[in-house]
Coordinates of all heavy atoms in Angstrom, one line a residue:
P1 N 6.8 57.2 -60.0 CA 8.0 57.5 -60.8 C 8.0 56.7 -62.1 O 7.5 55.6 -62.2 CB 9.1 56.9 -59.9 CG 8.5 56.7 -58.5 CD 7.0 56.6 -58.7
K2 N 8.5 57.3 -63.1 CA 8.6 56.7 -64.4 C 10.0 56.1 -64.6 O 11.0 56.6 -64.0 CB 8.3 57.8 -65.5 CG 6.9 58.3 -65.4 CD 6.7 59.1 -66.6 CE 5.2 59.6 -66.6 NZ 4.9 60.4 -67.8
E3 N 10.1 55.1 -65.4 CA 11.4 54.5 -65.7 C 11.9 55.2 -67.0 O 11.2 55.5 -67.9 CB 11.3 53.0 -66.0 CG 11.1 52.2 -64.8 CD 11.2 50.7 -65.1 OE1 11.3 50.3 -66.2 OE2 11.2 50.0 -64.1
R4 N 13.2 55.4 -66.9 CA 13.9 56.1 -68.1 C 15.2 55.3 -68.3 O 15.9 55.0 -67.4 CB 14.2 57.5 -67.7 CG 14.6 58.3 -68.9 CD 14.5 59.7 -68.7 NE 14.9 60.4 -69.9 CZ 15.2 61.7 -69.9 NH1 15.2 62.4 -68.8 NH2 15.6 62.2 -71.0
T5 N 15.4 55.0 -69.6 CA 16.6 54.2 -70.0 C 17.8 55.2 -70.2 O 17.6 56.2 -70.8 CB 16.4 53.4 -71.2 OG1 15.3 52.6 -71.0 CG2 17.6 52.6 -71.6
K6 N 18.8 54.9 -69.5 CA 20.0 55.8 -69.6 C 21.1 55.0 -70.4 O 21.4 53.9 -70.1 CB 20.5 56.1 -68.2 CG 21.4 57.3 -68.1 CD 21.8 57.5 -66.7 CE 21.9 59.0 -66.5 NZ 22.3 59.4 -65.2
S7 N 21.6 55.6 -71.5 CA 22.6 54.9 -72.3 C 24.0 55.4 -71.9 O 24.2 56.4 -71.4 CB 22.3 55.3 -73.8 OG 21.1 54.8 -74.2
S8 N 24.9 54.5 -72.2 CA 26.3 54.9 -71.9 C 27.1 54.6 -73.2 O 26.7 53.9 -74.1 CB 26.9 54.0 -70.8 OG 27.0 52.7 -71.2
C9 N 28.3 55.1 -73.2 CA 29.1 55.0 -74.4 C 29.7 53.6 -74.6 O 30.2 53.2 -75.6 CB 30.3 56.0 -74.4 SG 31.4 55.9 -73.0
Q10 N 29.5 52.7 -73.6 CA 30.0 51.3 -73.7 C 29.1 50.4 -74.5 O 29.3 49.3 -74.7 CB 30.3 50.7 -72.3 CG 31.5 51.2 -71.6 CD 31.2 52.5 -70.8 OE1 30.1 52.9 -70.6 NE2 32.2 53.2 -70.4
G11 N 27.9 51.0 -74.9 CA 27.0 50.2 -75.7 C 25.9 49.4 -74.9 O 25.2 48.7 -75.4
F12 N 25.8 49.6 -73.6 CA 24.8 49.0 -72.8 C 23.9 50.1 -72.2 O 24.2 51.3 -72.2 CB 25.3 48.1 -71.7 CG 26.1 48.8 -70.7 CD1 25.5 49.2 -69.5 CD2 27.5 49.0 -70.8 CE1 26.2 49.9 -68.5 CE2 28.2 49.7 -69.8 CZ 27.5 50.1 -68.7
S13 N 22.7 49.7 -71.7 CA 21.8 50.6 -71.1 C 21.3 50.0 -69.8 O 21.3 48.8 -69.6 CB 20.7 51.0 -72.0 OG 19.9 49.9 -72.3
R14 N 20.9 50.9 -68.9 CA 20.3 50.4 -67.7 C 19.1 51.3 -67.4 O 19.0 52.5 -67.8 CB 21.3 50.5 -66.5 CG 21.7 51.9 -66.2 CD 22.7 51.9 -65.0 NE 23.1 53.2 -64.6 CZ 24.0 54.0 -65.1 NH1 24.8 53.5 -66.0 NH2 24.2 55.2 -64.6
K15 N 18.1 50.8 -66.6 CA 16.9 51.5 -66.3 C 17.1 52.1 -64.9 O 17.5 51.4 -64.0 CB 15.7 50.7 -66.4 CG 15.3 50.4 -67.8 CD 14.0 49.8 -67.9 CE 13.6 49.6 -69.4 NZ 12.3 49.1 -69.5
E16 N 16.8 53.4 -64.7 CA 16.8 54.0 -63.4 C 15.4 54.6 -63.2 O 14.7 55.1 -64.1 CB 17.8 55.1 -63.4 CG 19.2 54.7 -63.5 CD 20.2 55.8 -63.5 OE1 19.8 57.0 -63.4 OE2 21.4 55.5 -63.6
T17 N 14.9 54.5 -62.0 CA 13.6 55.1 -61.7 C 13.8 56.3 -60.9 O 14.5 56.3 -59.8 CB 12.8 54.0 -60.9 OG1 12.6 52.8 -61.7 CG2 11.4 54.6 -60.6
Y18 N 13.3 57.4 -61.3 CA 13.3 58.7 -60.6 C 12.2 59.5 -61.1 O 11.7 59.4 -62.2 CB 14.7 59.4 -60.8 CG 15.1 59.6 -62.2 CD1 14.8 60.8 -62.8 CD2 15.7 58.6 -62.9 CE1 15.2 61.1 -64.1 CE2 16.1 58.9 -64.2 CZ 15.8 60.1 -64.8 OH 16.2 60.3 -66.1
P19 N 11.7 60.4 -60.2 CA 10.6 61.2 -60.7 C 11.0 62.2 -61.8 O 12.1 62.7 -61.8 CB 10.2 62.0 -59.4 CG 11.4 61.9 -58.5 CD 12.2 60.7 -58.9
M20 N 10.1 62.3 -62.8 CA 10.3 63.2 -63.9 C 9.2 64.2 -63.9 O 8.0 63.9 -63.9 CB 10.3 62.4 -65.2 CG 11.5 61.6 -65.4 SD 11.6 60.6 -67.0 CE 10.5 61.4 -68.1
N21 N 9.6 65.5 -63.9 CA 8.6 66.5 -64.0 C 8.4 66.9 -65.5 O 9.4 66.9 -66.2 CB 9.1 67.8 -63.2 CG 9.1 67.5 -61.7 OD1 8.3 66.8 -61.2 ND2 10.1 68.1 -61.1
P22 N 7.2 67.1 -65.9 CA 6.9 67.5 -67.3 C 7.6 68.8 -67.6 O 7.8 69.7 -66.8 CB 5.4 67.7 -67.4 CG 4.9 67.2 -66.1 CD 6.0 67.1 -65.1
V23 N 8.1 68.9 -68.9 CA 8.7 70.2 -69.3 C 7.6 71.1 -69.8 O 7.8 72.3 -69.8 CB 9.7 69.9 -70.4 CG1 11.0 69.3 -69.9 CG2 9.2 69.2 -71.6
I24 N 6.5 70.6 -70.2 CA 5.3 71.3 -70.6 C 4.1 70.6 -70.0 O 3.9 69.4 -70.2 CB 5.1 71.5 -72.1 CG1 6.3 72.2 -72.7 CG2 3.8 72.2 -72.5 CD1 6.4 72.2 -74.2
E25 N 3.2 71.4 -69.4 CA 2.0 70.8 -68.8 C 0.9 71.9 -69.0 O 1.0 73.0 -68.7 CB 2.1 70.5 -67.4 CG 1.0 69.7 -66.8 CD 1.2 69.1 -65.5 OE1 2.2 69.5 -64.8 OE2 0.5 68.1 -65.1
M26 N -0.2 71.4 -69.6 CA -1.4 72.2 -69.8 C -2.5 71.6 -69.0 O -2.8 70.4 -69.2 CB -1.7 72.4 -71.3 CG -0.6 73.0 -72.1 SD -1.0 73.0 -73.8 CE -1.8 74.6 -74.0
K27 N -3.2 72.4 -68.2 CA -4.3 71.8 -67.4 C -5.6 72.6 -67.6 O -5.6 73.8 -67.4 CB -4.0 71.9 -65.9 CG -2.8 71.0 -65.5 CD -2.6 71.0 -64.0 CE -1.5 70.1 -63.6 NZ -1.3 70.1 -62.1
H28 N -6.6 71.9 -68.2 CA -7.9 72.5 -68.4 C -7.8 73.8 -69.2 O -8.5 74.8 -68.9 CB -8.7 72.7 -67.1 CG -8.8 71.4 -66.3 ND1 -9.6 70.4 -66.7 CD2 -8.1 71.0 -65.2 CE1 -9.5 69.4 -65.8 NE2 -8.6 69.7 -64.9
V29 N -7.0 73.8 -70.2 CA -6.8 75.0 -71.1 C -8.0 75.1 -72.0 O -8.4 74.2 -72.7 CB -5.5 74.9 -71.8 CG1 -5.4 76.0 -72.8 CG2 -4.3 75.0 -70.8
K30 N -8.5 76.4 -72.1 CA -9.5 76.7 -73.1 C -9.1 78.0 -73.8 O -8.5 78.9 -73.2 CB -10.8 77.0 -72.3 CG -12.0 77.5 -73.2 CD -13.2 77.7 -72.4 CE -14.3 78.3 -73.3 NZ -15.5 78.5 -72.5
K31 N -9.4 78.1 -75.1 CA -9.2 79.3 -75.8 C -10.4 79.6 -76.7 O -10.9 78.7 -77.4 CB -8.0 79.2 -76.8 CG -7.7 80.4 -77.5 CD -7.4 81.6 -76.6 CE -7.2 82.9 -77.3 NZ -7.0 84.0 -76.4
A32 N -11.0 80.8 -76.5 CA -12.2 81.2 -77.2 C -12.0 82.6 -77.7 O -11.3 83.4 -77.1 CB -13.4 81.1 -76.3
Y33 N -12.5 82.8 -78.9 CA -12.6 84.2 -79.4 C -14.1 84.5 -79.5 O -14.8 83.9 -80.3 CB -11.9 84.2 -80.8 CG -10.4 83.9 -80.8 CD1 -10.0 82.7 -81.2 CD2 -9.5 84.9 -80.4 CE1 -8.6 82.4 -81.1 CE2 -8.2 84.6 -80.4 CZ -7.7 83.4 -80.8 OH -6.4 83.1 -80.7
D34 N -14.5 85.5 -78.7 CA -15.9 85.8 -78.6 C -16.7 84.6 -78.3 O -16.4 83.9 -77.3 CB -16.4 86.5 -79.9 CG -15.7 87.8 -80.2 OD1 -15.4 88.5 -79.2 OD2 -15.4 88.1 -81.4
Q35 N -17.6 84.1 -79.1 CA -18.5 82.9 -78.8 C -17.9 81.7 -79.5 O -18.5 80.6 -79.3 CB -19.9 83.2 -79.3 CG -20.6 84.3 -78.6 CD -20.7 84.1 -77.1 OE1 -21.0 83.0 -76.7 NE2 -20.4 85.2 -76.4
N36 N -16.8 81.8 -80.2 CA -16.2 80.7 -80.9 C -15.1 80.0 -80.1 O -14.0 80.6 -80.0 CB -15.6 81.2 -82.3 CG -15.2 80.1 -83.2 OD1 -15.6 78.9 -83.0 ND2 -14.4 80.4 -84.2
T37 N -15.4 78.9 -79.6 CA -14.4 78.1 -78.8 C -13.5 77.3 -79.7 O -14.0 76.5 -80.5 CB -15.1 77.2 -77.8 OG1 -15.9 78.0 -76.9 CG2 -14.0 76.4 -76.9
I38 N -12.2 77.6 -79.6 CA -11.2 76.9 -80.5 C -10.7 75.7 -79.8 O -10.6 74.6 -80.4 CB -10.0 77.9 -80.8 CG1 -10.5 79.2 -81.4 CG2 -9.0 77.2 -81.7 CD1 -11.3 79.1 -82.7
I39 N -10.3 75.8 -78.5 CA -9.8 74.7 -77.7 C -10.6 74.7 -76.4 O -10.7 75.7 -75.8 CB -8.3 74.8 -77.4 CG1 -7.5 74.8 -78.7 CG2 -7.8 73.8 -76.5 CD1 -6.0 75.1 -78.6
E40 N -11.1 73.5 -76.1 CA -12.0 73.4 -74.9 C -11.4 72.2 -74.0 O -11.3 71.1 -74.4 CB -13.4 73.0 -75.3 CG -14.3 73.0 -74.1 CD -15.8 72.8 -74.6 OE1 -16.1 72.9 -75.8 OE2 -16.6 72.5 -73.7
D41 N -11.0 72.6 -72.8 CA -10.6 71.6 -71.8 C -9.5 70.7 -72.2 O -9.6 69.5 -72.2 CB -11.8 70.8 -71.2 CG -11.4 70.2 -69.9 OD1 -10.6 70.7 -69.1 OD2 -12.0 69.1 -69.6
L42 N -8.4 71.3 -72.6 CA -7.2 70.6 -73.1 C -6.3 70.3 -71.9 O -5.9 71.1 -71.1 CB -6.4 71.4 -74.1 CG -5.1 70.8 -74.7 CD1 -5.4 69.5 -75.4 CD2 -4.4 71.8 -75.5
N43 N -5.9 69.0 -71.8 CA -5.0 68.6 -70.8 C -3.8 67.8 -71.4 O -4.0 66.8 -72.1 CB -5.6 67.6 -69.7 CG -6.7 68.4 -68.9 OD1 -6.3 69.2 -68.1 ND2 -7.9 68.1 -69.2
V44 N -2.6 68.3 -71.3 CA -1.4 67.8 -72.0 C -0.2 67.8 -71.0 O 0.0 68.7 -70.3 CB -1.0 68.6 -73.2 CG1 0.3 68.0 -73.9 CG2 -2.1 68.6 -74.2
S45 N 0.5 66.7 -71.0 CA 1.7 66.6 -70.2 C 2.8 66.0 -71.1 O 2.7 64.9 -71.6 CB 1.5 65.7 -69.0 OG 2.7 65.7 -68.2
I46 N 3.9 66.8 -71.3 CA 5.0 66.4 -72.1 C 6.3 66.2 -71.2 O 6.7 67.2 -70.6 CB 5.3 67.3 -73.2 CG1 4.0 67.5 -74.1 CG2 6.5 66.9 -74.1 CD1 4.1 68.6 -75.1
D47 N 6.8 65.0 -71.1 CA 8.0 64.7 -70.3 C 9.3 65.0 -71.0 O 9.3 65.0 -72.2 CB 7.9 63.3 -69.8 CG 6.8 63.0 -68.8 OD1 6.5 63.9 -68.0 OD2 6.3 61.9 -68.8
P48 N 10.4 65.2 -70.3 CA 11.7 65.4 -70.9 C 12.0 64.2 -71.8 O 11.8 63.1 -71.5 CB 12.6 65.4 -69.7 CG 11.8 65.8 -68.5 CD 10.5 65.2 -68.8
G49 N 12.5 64.6 -73.0 CA 12.9 63.6 -74.0 C 11.8 63.1 -74.9 O 12.1 62.3 -75.8
E50 N 10.6 63.4 -74.6 CA 9.5 63.0 -75.5 C 9.5 63.8 -76.8 O 9.7 65.0 -76.8 CB 8.1 63.1 -74.8 CG 7.9 62.1 -73.8 CD 6.5 62.1 -73.3 OE1 6.0 63.2 -72.9 OE2 5.8 61.0 -73.2
F51 N 9.1 63.2 -77.9 CA 8.8 63.9 -79.1 C 7.3 63.8 -79.3 O 6.7 62.8 -79.2 CB 9.5 63.1 -80.3 CG 11.0 63.3 -80.3 CD1 11.8 62.4 -79.6 CD2 11.6 64.3 -81.0 CE1 13.2 62.6 -79.6 CE2 12.9 64.5 -81.0 CZ 13.7 63.6 -80.3
V52 N 6.8 65.0 -79.7 CA 5.3 65.1 -79.9 C 5.0 65.6 -81.3 O 5.7 66.5 -81.8 CB 4.8 66.1 -78.8 CG1 3.3 66.4 -79.0 CG2 5.1 65.7 -77.4
T53 N 4.0 65.0 -81.9 CA 3.5 65.5 -83.2 C 2.1 65.9 -83.0 O 1.3 65.3 -82.4 CB 3.5 64.3 -84.2 OG1 4.9 63.8 -84.3 CG2 3.1 64.7 -85.5
I54 N 1.8 67.1 -83.6 CA 0.5 67.7 -83.5 C -0.1 67.5 -84.9 O 0.4 68.1 -85.9 CB 0.5 69.1 -83.1 CG1 1.2 69.2 -81.8 CG2 -0.9 69.7 -83.0 CD1 1.6 70.6 -81.4
V55 N -1.2 66.7 -85.0 CA -1.8 66.5 -86.3 C -3.3 66.8 -86.2 O -4.0 66.5 -85.2 CB -1.7 65.0 -86.7 CG1 -2.3 64.6 -88.0 CG2 -0.2 64.6 -86.7
G56 N -3.8 67.4 -87.2 CA -5.3 67.7 -87.3 C -5.6 68.5 -88.5 O -4.8 69.0 -89.2
S57 N -6.9 68.6 -88.7 CA -7.4 69.3 -89.9 C -7.2 70.8 -89.8 O -7.0 71.3 -88.7 CB -8.9 69.0 -90.2 OG -9.6 69.4 -89.1
S58 N -7.4 71.5 -90.9 CA -7.3 73.0 -90.9 C -8.3 73.6 -89.9 O -9.5 73.2 -90.0 CB -7.5 73.5 -92.3 OG -7.4 74.9 -92.3
G59 N -7.8 74.5 -89.1 CA -8.7 75.2 -88.2 C -9.1 74.5 -86.9 O -9.9 74.9 -86.1
C60 N -8.4 73.4 -86.6 CA -8.7 72.6 -85.4 C -8.0 73.1 -84.1 O -8.3 72.7 -83.0 CB -8.4 71.1 -85.6 SG -6.7 70.7 -85.6
G61 N -7.0 74.0 -84.3 CA -6.4 74.6 -83.1 C -4.9 74.3 -82.9 O -4.3 74.6 -81.9
K62 N -4.3 73.7 -83.9 CA -2.8 73.3 -83.8 C -2.0 74.6 -83.6 O -1.2 74.6 -82.6 CB -2.4 72.6 -85.1 CG -3.1 71.3 -85.4 CD -2.6 70.7 -86.7 CE -2.7 71.6 -87.9 NZ -4.1 71.8 -88.4
T63 N -2.1 75.6 -84.4 CA -1.3 76.8 -84.2 C -1.7 77.5 -82.9 O -0.8 78.0 -82.2 CB -1.5 77.7 -85.4 OG1 -1.1 77.0 -86.6 CG2 -0.7 79.0 -85.3
T64 N -2.9 77.6 -82.6 CA -3.3 78.2 -81.3 C -2.7 77.5 -80.1 O -2.2 78.1 -79.2 CB -4.9 78.1 -81.2 OG1 -5.5 78.8 -82.3 CG2 -5.3 78.7 -79.9
F65 N -2.6 76.1 -80.2 CA -2.0 75.3 -79.1 C -0.5 75.8 -79.0 O 0.0 76.0 -77.9 CB -2.1 73.9 -79.5 CG -1.3 72.9 -78.7 CD1 -1.6 72.5 -77.4 CD2 -0.1 72.4 -79.2 CE1 -0.9 71.7 -76.7 CE2 0.7 71.5 -78.5 CZ 0.3 71.1 -77.2
L66 N 0.2 75.8 -80.1 CA 1.6 76.2 -80.1 C 1.8 77.6 -79.6 O 2.8 77.9 -78.9 CB 2.3 76.0 -81.5 CG 2.3 74.5 -81.9 CD1 2.8 74.4 -83.3 CD2 3.3 73.7 -81.0
K67 N 1.0 78.5 -80.1 CA 1.1 80.0 -79.7 C 0.9 80.1 -78.2 O 1.4 81.0 -77.6 CB 0.2 80.8 -80.5 CG 0.7 81.0 -81.9 CD -0.2 82.0 -82.7 CE 0.3 82.3 -84.1 NZ -0.5 83.2 -84.8
M68 N 0.0 79.3 -77.6 CA -0.2 79.4 -76.2 C 1.0 78.9 -75.4 O 1.4 79.4 -74.4 CB -1.5 78.6 -75.8 CG -2.8 79.4 -76.1 SD -4.2 78.7 -75.4 CE -4.3 77.1 -76.2
I69 N 1.6 77.9 -75.9 CA 2.8 77.3 -75.2 C 4.0 78.4 -75.2 O 4.6 78.6 -74.2 CB 3.3 76.0 -75.9 CG1 2.4 74.9 -75.6 CG2 4.7 75.7 -75.4 CD1 2.7 73.6 -76.3
N70 N 4.2 79.1 -76.4 CA 5.3 80.0 -76.4 C 4.9 81.4 -76.0 O 5.7 82.3 -76.0 CB 6.0 80.0 -77.8 CG 5.1 80.6 -78.9 OD1 4.2 81.4 -78.7 ND2 5.5 80.3 -80.1
G71 N 3.7 81.6 -75.5 CA 3.3 82.8 -74.9 C 2.8 83.9 -75.9 O 2.6 85.1 -75.4
L72 N 2.6 83.6 -77.1 CA 2.1 84.6 -78.1 C 0.7 85.0 -77.9 O 0.3 86.1 -78.1 CB 2.4 84.2 -79.5 CG 3.8 84.1 -80.0 CD1 3.9 83.6 -81.4 CD2 4.4 85.5 -79.9
I73 N -0.1 84.0 -77.4 CA -1.5 84.3 -77.0 C -1.7 83.7 -75.6 O -1.1 82.7 -75.3 CB -2.5 83.8 -78.1 CG1 -2.4 82.3 -78.3 CG2 -2.4 84.6 -79.3 CD1 -3.5 81.7 -79.2
L74 N -2.7 84.2 -74.9 CA -3.0 83.7 -73.6 C -4.3 82.8 -73.7 O -5.2 83.1 -74.4 CB -3.2 84.8 -72.6 CG -2.0 85.7 -72.3 CD1 -2.4 86.9 -71.5 CD2 -0.9 84.9 -71.7
P75 N -4.3 81.8 -72.8 CA -5.6 81.0 -72.8 C -6.7 81.8 -72.2 O -6.5 82.6 -71.3 CB -5.2 79.8 -72.0 CG -4.0 80.2 -71.1 CD -3.3 81.3 -71.9
T76 N -7.9 81.4 -72.5 CA -9.1 82.0 -71.9 C -9.3 81.5 -70.5 O -9.7 82.2 -69.6 CB -10.3 81.7 -72.8 OG1 -10.1 82.1 -74.1 CG2 -11.6 82.4 -72.3
A77 N -8.9 80.2 -70.3 CA -9.0 79.6 -69.0 C -8.0 78.5 -68.9 O -7.4 78.1 -69.9 CB -10.4 79.0 -68.8
G78 N -7.7 78.1 -67.7 CA -6.7 77.0 -67.5 C -5.3 77.5 -67.2 O -5.1 78.7 -67.2
G79 N -4.4 76.6 -67.1 CA -3.0 76.9 -66.8 C -2.0 76.2 -67.7 O -2.2 75.1 -68.1
I80 N -0.9 76.9 -68.0 CA 0.2 76.4 -68.8 C 1.4 76.5 -67.9 O 1.8 77.6 -67.5 CB 0.4 77.1 -70.1 CG1 -0.9 77.0 -71.0 CG2 1.6 76.5 -70.9 CD1 -0.9 77.8 -72.2
F81 N 2.1 75.4 -67.7 CA 3.3 75.3 -66.8 C 4.5 74.8 -67.6 O 4.4 73.8 -68.2 CB 3.0 74.4 -65.6 CG 1.7 74.7 -65.0 CD1 0.5 74.1 -65.3 CD2 1.6 75.8 -64.0 CE1 -0.7 74.4 -64.7 CE2 0.4 76.1 -63.4 CZ -0.7 75.4 -63.7
L82 N 5.5 75.6 -67.6 CA 6.8 75.3 -68.3 C 7.9 75.0 -67.4 O 8.0 75.6 -66.4 CB 7.2 76.4 -69.3 CG 6.1 76.8 -70.3 CD1 6.5 78.0 -71.1 CD2 5.8 75.7 -71.2

C-alpha cells in the first residue's frame, strides 16, 4: 500500500494508507512500423494524483506514447490498462 496525504479545510493533513490502483498502466508495450521499432518494452504506471511530464528528442516516441494511451493507435505488443 502507498501512503497518500489527505488535506482538510482546517489547514492540517494526515496520512492514510490504502491501496491505490494506477489510472494508467502500460506493461511491456511495443510499437513498430514495419521494421522500425519506435517504442520497445515500455513499462509505465501512473497513480491517481500524479503529474507526468514526457520529455525527449524529436522522433523518440512521445506522441506515439500519448496516442496509444488515448486509443488513436494500437500497440504492436503489450497491454495498456486504464
Side-chain angles (χ1 to χ4, degrees):
K2 294 187 177 184
E3 284 189 354
R4 190 161 183 201
T5 302
K6 199 174 213 182
S7 298
S8 70
C9 59
Q10 286 85 13
F12 66 91
S13 63
R14 64 179 186 273
K15 287 192 176 182
E16 295 180 359
T17 303
Y18 56 95
M20 287 179 23
N21 295 324
V23 291
I24 298 172
E25 189 168 20
M26 300 175 90
K27 293 184 179 181
H28 304 287
V29 169
K30 176 182 178 180
K31 182 61 184 174
Y33 296 100
D34 298 321
Q35 300 299 319
N36 189 16
T37 301
I38 307 300
I39 295 175
E40 185 176 347
D41 198 29
L42 176 65
N43 294 288
V44 175
S45 181
I46 302 172
D47 289 327
E50 283 188 313
F51 288 88
V52 177
T53 303
I54 303 165
V55 179
S57 61
S58 178
C60 72
K62 300 178 302 289
T63 300
T64 301
F65 169 77
L66 293 172
K67 285 183 176 183
M68 285 192 293
I69 289 174
N70 70 19
L72 289 176
I73 59 175
L74 296 174
T76 305
I80 301 173
F81 309 95
L82 304 174

